[in-house]
Amino acid sequence: MIEDKQRWNIRHVEKPMRKNVEPLLEKYIEFASVGDALDLACGIGRNTNFMAEKGFRVDAVDISDYALSCLEESDKINKIETDLDSYDLEVNKYDLIVNINYLNRRLFPQIKEGLKSGGLLVFETFIVAHGDFDNPANPNYLLRVNELLHAFIGLDIIYYEEKDDINLRGEKTRVAALVARKR
């Protein structure tokens, strides 16, 4: 955990993330009931801060204490510094769960269980590009084609797409994006 924390602290300083809210969240946030939200691997808080501004009480989870220190100070933001490899989500707690640019398959069932009935999931991360692009990323951190869709079968799918995109460093990549509601 300490090595991961140091690596992410350095990465946030040397290669800062963009500060604007993720367009997928911005487009679909109105589909969620204002209440409790969870931002997994929240980074410097671009999505956390946006959700708090919209009235959500946000649990902002990240391993990087540096990233968490960049979040706005707000009584609507609960900063949780932890390793998501061992963190467990509370059952039936969240009206909105956001997972952007992070993949931990262990959390898939917990995400479904963590949503309240009617709760909304906004999930977008990278997928294997099947050789289309020069992607040196560890394949363990890349979704397979349609994997995200299959992982959340049982939720009502509002939106799903796999598309070409440009990552934060300006490189071509592919992403899978999903918005779904728990029945």
Side-chain angles (χ1 to χ4, degrees), residues 130-145:
H130 296 291
D132 296 336
F133 310 121
D134 183 22
N135 192 336
N138 182 335
N140 292 329
Y141 299 111
L142 299 172
L143 290 165
R144 295 350 172 238
V145 171

Side-chain angles (χ1 to χ4, degrees), residues 143-162:
L143 290 165
R144 295 350 172 238
V145 171
N146 290 322
E147 181 182 1
L148 187 61
L149 182 62
H150 290 284
F152 290 98
I153 291 294
L155 300 181
D156 292 331
I157 307 300
I158 296 168
Y159 169 81
Y160 184 76
E161 182 179 24
E162 294 182 5

Side-chain angles (χ1 to χ4, degrees), residues 43-135:
I44 61 170
R46 63 195 177 103
N47 298 316
T48 297
N49 295 332
F50 176 73
M51 289 185 284
E53 289 167 9
K54 292 288 188 178
F56 289 88
R57 294 174 304 278
V58 185
D59 286 343
V61 182
D62 205 286
I63 196 169
S64 169
D65 57 339
Y66 172 80
L68 290 170
S69 74
C70 295
L71 272 71
E72 293 176 5
E73 292 300 324
S74 168
D75 61 352
K76 293 202 173 285
I77 298 174
N78 176 33
K79 300 174 186 180
I80 302 171
E81 181 185 329
T82 191
D83 186 342
L84 283 165
D85 287 338
S86 58
Y87 183 76
D88 291 322
L89 280 59
E90 289 186 50
V91 174
N92 197 35
K93 179 176 181 182
Y94 297 104
D95 300 285
L96 174 61
I97 295 179
V98 174
N99 188 123
I100 304 293
N101 296 339
Y102 176 73
L103 180 61
N104 187 331
R105 290 173 177 89
R106 180 188 77 83
L107 294 176
F108 286 177
Q110 291 186 40
I111 289 170
K112 288 191 270 189
E113 293 170 3
L115 286 168
K116 292 179 182 176
S117 179
L120 190 73
L121 170 62
V122 177
F123 198 124
E124 182 175 287
T125 198
F126 306 103
I127 64 173
V128 175
H130 296 291
D132 296 336
F133 310 121
D134 183 22
N135 192 336

